[in-house]
C-alpha cells in the first residue's frame, strides 16, 4: 500500500486534493481493515465532530473500549490512552518523510498496539 500511495501521490498537497477519490478512500479503508483484523481495533467516527479539529470528521480505528485499561498514557493521567489511527494521517506522515528514507511507515503504526495486543481480533464488542 505504501508503494502504491507513493506512486500515485506526490506531495501532502496532492494527497489533500485527492482525499475523496476512490483510490485514496480505498487505500484508507484497506489500511484501517489491516489494523482491525490484525490488532483487534474497530472503526469509529466522532458523533459530534469538532470544527476546530480537522481529523474529528474522519473515521479512525481504535481498540475496543473493553481494552481501555490495557493502555496508559506517557504521563499516566489520561483517562483514555488507547491509540487511535486515522489512515489518511498515516499517508500524510509517509509523504512528509524523506522519500523512501524510512520505508514501512504504515506497518510501524501497527506497533502502537503492543501494550494492548491481548484479546485482539475475535468477536469482541464494546
Amino acid at each position: 500500500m505504501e508503494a502504491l500511495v507513493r506512486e500515485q501521490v506526490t506531495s501532502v498537497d496532492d494527497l489533500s486534493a485527492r482525499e475523496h477519490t476512490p483510490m485514496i478512500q480505498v487505500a484508507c479503508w484497506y489500511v484501517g481493515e489491516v489494523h482491525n483484523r490484525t490488532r483487534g481495533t474497530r472503526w469509529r467516527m466522532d458523533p459530534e465532530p469538532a470544527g476546530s479539529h480537522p481529523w474529528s470528521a474522519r473515521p479512525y480505528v481504535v481498540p475496543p473500549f473493553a481494552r481501555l485499561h490495557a493502555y496508559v498514557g506517557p504521563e499516566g493521567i489520561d483517562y483514555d490512552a488507547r491509540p487511535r489511527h486515522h489512515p489518511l494521517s498515516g499517508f500524510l506522515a509517509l509523504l512528509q518523510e524523506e522519500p523512501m528514507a524510512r520505508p514501512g511507515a504504515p506497518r510501524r503504526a501497527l506497533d502502537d498496539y503492543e501494550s494492548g495486543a491481548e484479546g485482539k481480533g475475535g468477536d469482541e464488542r464494546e
Side-chain angles (χ1 to χ4, degrees):
M1 191 56 56
E2 176 181 352
L4 180 65
V5 169
R6 285 186 189 268
E7 177 183 305
Q8 299 289 318
V9 182
T10 59
S11 68
V12 170
D13 290 338
D14 188 23
L15 180 63
S16 296
R18 297 176 59 192
E19 175 182 352
H20 299 289
T21 64
M23 185 276 196
I24 299 300
Q25 287 296 301
V26 169
C28 287
W29 284 101
Y30 180 88
V31 168
E33 282 300 310
V34 169
H35 284 248
N36 289 347
R37 294 167 192 230
T38 64
R39 297 302 191 261
T41 60
R42 302 289 185 259
W43 284 107
R44 292 285 176 260
M45 195 153 168
D46 293 333
E48 296 179 20
S52 61
H53 192 276
W55 293 106
S56 180
R58 290 175 174 89
Y60 59 93
V61 294
V62 63
F65 192 75
R67 290 179 19 211
L68 174 71
H69 299 293
Y71 300 94
V72 178
E75 296 86 27
I77 58 173
D78 296 323
Y79 161 71
D80 187 351
R82 294 176 297 165
R84 291 167 177 75
H85 284 282
H86 295 85
L88 186 68
S89 69
F91 294 146
L92 285 171
L94 178 70
L95 293 167
Q96 290 172 344
E97 292 181 1
E98 183 67 28
M100 298 309 287
R102 293 180 58 199
R107 190 167 308 166
R108 285 192 307 271
L110 295 171
D111 295 340
D112 289 351
Y113 305 106
E114 289 298 317
S115 66
E118 71 279 355
K120 65 183 177 184
D123 194 30
E124 201 169 86
R125 307 267 184 226
E126 286 191 15

